[in-house]
Amino acid sequence: MLVTTGFTILNSRDETIDRYSRDTNTLSLALADQTNRVMSNVETVLQQIQDQIGALKLATPAEFSNKLSGETFGRTLRDWGKTPVQVDGLVLVDASGYLINSSTEMSTTPVNLSDRDYFVHFLNDHDKASFIGRPLPNRLTGERAFYVVRRIDNEAGEFLGLILARIELSSFERILASMVPTDGGSVALFRSDGTILARSPEGQAAIGSKISSASRWWRVVEHGGGTYRSAGQFDEAARIISVHPVKGFPLVVGVTVLEDAALSQWMRQSIMIGCAFLLISLCAAFLFYWSLRQYGQLAASRTKLAANNAELRDSRRRFEQQAADMARAAEALRVSEYRLERQSKALEVTFKYMDQGIMMVDANHRVAVYNARVTEIMGVPEELLSRHPSFEELLTYQWEQNEFTDTTPDVQSVIRDGGLLKKAQIYERRRPNGKTVEVRSIPLPGGGVVLTYTDISDRAAAEEALNAARDEADAARDEADAARDRADAARDLADAARNEMTSEAKS
């Protein structure tokens, strides 16, 4: 009984750690996708501003500073700063490192940023991609922030300046706080070089520090992400850690859970099992004492001894049956608590505060978990999802509702062949109601997939309006070129006529 009880407790501990590792890994994947979506929106704003400046065809750093440092372009930056994107400010820096314009209030004295790591990076490297700057206090407000920066060149590829998107740590940590596990957990955002950009909770003390070179963090990130256990870099508390790179950006997200907090339920269960073992042991001691007493009383009579021995054997069998019944009851209780806690964590931690629709399909291709945003964005009836249909049945319903009419043929082919369940996919499609939805699928280890649905109708409309404005400007420029050509032809004809009249007058 002692060996069996010990094995049960140790096995339960390993299963608890494995379960928290899986849940932490799932949450880390969802956080990486959320961060990718936020950073993609910031990237889009910077690229559009970059294109708008490029259309001015500025040739020199002086022309860049003179034309973009005024109130006119300041209003343009403020208009961009009002877009529904996680940006706390837009800043324009010239080729000498001076701040020349901003979407927020500017200092009356010149501010030079040439010592910042992003300026040094772009000054020495003709990098077309965005760079994530180290978190530092803002020299105007004192608020700590990190920057997403892009380089601006002239048509010859010469350096003119930088466009920066400022993301204050307080606002980004509010996003992270909504994802913090309840079991003594934390979430963090890193640069790919191990620098901590944001962390919640208790973020301020760790901001700007780097992950130790001896940490397993580097090996896990190098292999595309995963989960591992660590004694902790900032304290001595053992943690379960899951990290995943953010696709398309030099960023890594991490989710941690304190091992002691994760094992608190296991400790309570172990105490219950220990109490049950103690109770059974006391019963056994009592029965043994009672048996000895009966043996002493039956020593006087062999007949009575034989009868009492038979009764003792019956009691032993009943005791063994009771012990087996209690072990089965304890195992049933453990399985029930495990299932209930797993479902609760999946609903309360993974999906709470998510502003996009999210659905998890298990290894048996059935809809296991979903949130209310799926029905709002995709128009799938609650009655269908509530009975956890197979993924194939859900697709059949969407085909019948003509959901994929405006989807490209190659994406339709992937959907028909079950490609959404086999590998990661990202595509956009327009729903019959006119809304544009971004669909992402992330396969899970061991089978199954996580699907996210994001309503990007506003962004798609903005892109269409921008393309239309660009086409209209191109048409106006072509018409002006044609008018200039006609004026040149008329002037040449007039010159020819004047020369001819001069020749006739001389004759």
Side-chain angles (χ1 to χ4, degrees), residues 149-193:
V149 189
R150 292 186 69 86
R151 171 176 167 143
I152 300 175
D153 295 333
N154 61 14
E155 293 183 342
E158 298 172 340
F159 180 49
L160 296 181
L162 302 175
I163 178 67
L164 292 71
R166 185 177 77 253
I167 302 177
E168 295 181 356
L169 298 187
S170 58
S171 60
F172 201 86
E173 286 175 351
R174 282 194 295 272
I175 297 177
L176 297 181
S178 66
M179 305 285 288
V180 176
T182 57
D183 295 315
S186 66
V187 295
L189 178 68
F190 306 83
R191 286 201 313 191
S192 57
D193 65 352

Side-chain angles (χ1 to χ4, degrees), residues 215 228-233 237-241:
S215 173
Y228 65 98
R229 295 169 66 191
S230 170
Q233 178 172 344
R239 298 176 183 270
I240 300 172
I241 302 176

Side-chain angles (χ1 to χ4, degrees), residues 354-478:
M354 300 292 288
D355 59 354
Q356 73 263 51
I358 187 165
M359 176 189 301
M360 185 175 74
V361 179
D362 61 21
N364 296 321
H365 294 187
R366 301 199 70 83
V367 177
V369 182
Y370 66 93
N371 65 357
R373 287 289 289 164
V374 174
T375 62
E376 297 172 8
I377 296 176
M378 302 305 295
V380 180
E382 171 67 19
E383 310 84 67
L384 175 61
L385 293 176
S386 62
R387 56 187 175 85
H388 301 286
S390 66
F391 190 64
E392 290 75 12
E393 182 180 351
L394 177 60
L395 288 180
T396 299
Y397 171 82
Q398 291 181 309
W399 282 110
E400 291 173 351
Q401 299 299 315
N402 298 319
E403 282 286 341
F404 305 108
T405 302
D406 296 332
T407 305
T408 59
D410 56 333
V411 175
Q412 289 184 2
S413 176
V414 171
I415 294 173
R416 285 194 177 95
D417 295 341
L420 293 180
L421 298 175
K422 298 176 182 176
K423 61 180 182 179
Q425 301 283 342
I426 302 177
Y427 70 92
E428 298 177 2
R429 67 178 180 86
R430 189 181 296 273
R431 291 198 60 230
N433 62 4
K435 290 186 177 181
T436 301
V437 178
E438 179 187 75
V439 182
R440 295 171 178 252
S441 64
I442 305 174
L444 298 175
V449 66
V450 172
L451 295 163
T452 61
Y453 305 94
T454 306
D455 187 348
I456 60 170
S457 301
D458 293 341
R459 190 184 77 190
E463 291 176 352
E464 291 176 359
L466 181 62
N467 291 334
R470 187 181 295 113
D471 294 341
E472 183 177 347
D474 291 342
R477 184 170 58 254
D478 294 340

Side-chain angles (χ1 to χ4, degrees), residues 26-292:
T26 301
L27 182 58
S28 178
L29 285 169
L31 181 58
D33 181 72
Q34 172 84 346
T35 304
N36 173 266
R37 188 173 62 81
V38 172
M39 298 304 296
S40 294
N41 291 339
V42 176
E43 181 89 343
T44 299
V45 170
L46 292 181
Q47 289 177 345
Q48 290 174 347
I49 298 176
Q50 195 177 30
D51 293 341
Q52 184 175 351
I53 296 175
L56 300 177
K57 299 186 180 301
L58 304 176
T60 65
E63 188 177 3
F64 177 90
S65 298
N66 292 334
K67 289 194 174 183
L68 300 183
S69 61
E71 175 62 22
T72 300
F73 200 77
R75 286 195 299 270
T76 300
L77 289 179
R78 287 192 289 274
D79 290 340
W80 279 109
K82 296 176 182 177
T83 58
V85 176
Q86 187 63 44
V87 173
D88 296 297
L90 296 168
V91 178
L92 203 61
V93 177
D94 66 11
S96 299
Y98 283 96
L99 189 154
I100 62 173
N101 219 325
S102 173
S103 65
T104 58
E105 183 179 356
M106 292 181 57
S107 172
T108 56
T109 58
V111 177
N112 189 281
L113 304 174
S114 60
D115 61 334
R116 300 299 200 192
D117 59 344
Y118 49 80
F119 188 87
V120 174
H121 171 80
F122 283 113
L123 188 64
N124 299 324
D125 191 347
H126 198 283
D127 191 356
K128 296 292 185 182
S130 294
F131 180 83
I132 310 298
R134 287 176 57 85
L136 292 170
N138 186 291
R139 289 181 175 175
L140 299 180
T141 65
E143 180 73 23
R144 300 189 77 181
F146 67 90
Y147 293 83
V148 183
V149 189
R150 292 186 69 86
R151 171 176 167 143
I152 300 175
D153 295 333
N154 61 14
E155 293 183 342
E158 298 172 340
F159 180 49
L160 296 181
L162 302 175
I163 178 67
L164 292 71
R166 185 177 77 253
I167 302 177
E168 295 181 356
L169 298 187
S170 58
S171 60
F172 201 86
E173 286 175 351
R174 282 194 295 272
I175 297 177
L176 297 181
S178 66
M179 305 285 288
V180 176
T182 57
D183 295 315
S186 66
V187 295
L189 178 68
F190 306 83
R191 286 201 313 191
S192 57
D193 65 352
T195 301
I196 300 178
L197 300 179
R199 186 171 183 261
S200 181
E202 304 172 359
Q204 295 300 320
I207 299 304
S209 61
K210 296 186 70 171
I211 296 296
S212 169
S213 59
S215 173
R216 290 184 58 192
W217 187 92
W218 299 97
R219 293 193 296 275
V220 175
V221 171
E222 183 179 359
H223 287 85
T227 303
Y228 65 98
R229 295 169 66 191
S230 170
Q233 178 172 344
F234 306 108
D235 51 36
E236 298 300 324
R239 298 176 183 270
I240 300 172
I241 302 176
S242 179
V243 294
H244 284 89
V246 178
K247 187 175 181 181
F249 295 93
L251 297 172
V252 178
V253 297
V255 178
T256 71
V257 174
L258 284 173
E259 190 170 277
D260 288 345
L263 293 176
S264 60
Q265 180 67 24
W266 169 80
M267 286 294 296
R268 290 192 294 271
Q269 189 178 51
S270 299
I271 291 173
M272 292 177 61
I273 295 175
C275 290
F277 169 76
L278 179 61
L279 178 61
I280 294 173
S281 299
L282 291 174
C283 291
F286 172 76
L287 290 175
F288 183 70
Y289 166 76
W290 180 79
S291 298
L292 288 178

